[in-house]
Amino acid sequence: GVELRFSQRLLSETTAHETGIFRYHFTPEGGEEVVQHIHLAALLVKKGTWLMMMEYQKTPATQSEWDALSGQ
């Protein structure tokens, strides 16, 4: 699965630029859950629904950086 948390969101009615972290997690068959946190920036446009046109996966993030975006 994928979860997103944002540190900055700049938007108008038709475009948006978002900065934050995504959390990617999966459990291989018979294994333990694998979790990765990655800093990202994304550009979106609204064409009826929001579409992500460009995503830049920057660098690994820490669990504490992820937690900080939720106010924990």
Side-chain angles (χ1 to χ4, degrees), residues 12-72:
S12 72
E13 291 183 20
T14 58
T15 60
H17 181 272
E18 299 179 327
T19 303
I21 298 173
F22 75 90
R23 178 183 186 269
Y24 173 70
H25 56 98
F26 69 96
T27 305
E29 190 172 324
E32 292 186 31
E33 182 181 43
V34 176
V35 177
Q36 295 180 328
H37 297 90
I38 308 291
H39 288 277
L40 80 125
L43 176 63
L44 298 90
V45 296
K46 190 169 188 178
K47 303 254 183 185
T49 186
W50 285 101
L51 302 171
M52 188 177 294
M53 302 303 293
M54 183 177 67
E55 174 191 356
Y56 175 43
Q57 297 180 12
K58 297 177 174 184
T59 57
T62 64
Q63 180 68 47
S64 61
E65 289 174 309
W66 173 256
D67 293 342
L69 291 182
S70 70
Q72 295 179 5

Side-chain angles (χ1 to χ4, degrees), residues 1-15:
V2 176
E3 298 172 58
L4 296 161
R5 293 185 182 171
F6 299 104
S7 56
Q8 183 180 52
R9 300 180 96 174
L10 305 171
L11 59 108
S12 72
E13 291 183 20
T14 58
T15 60

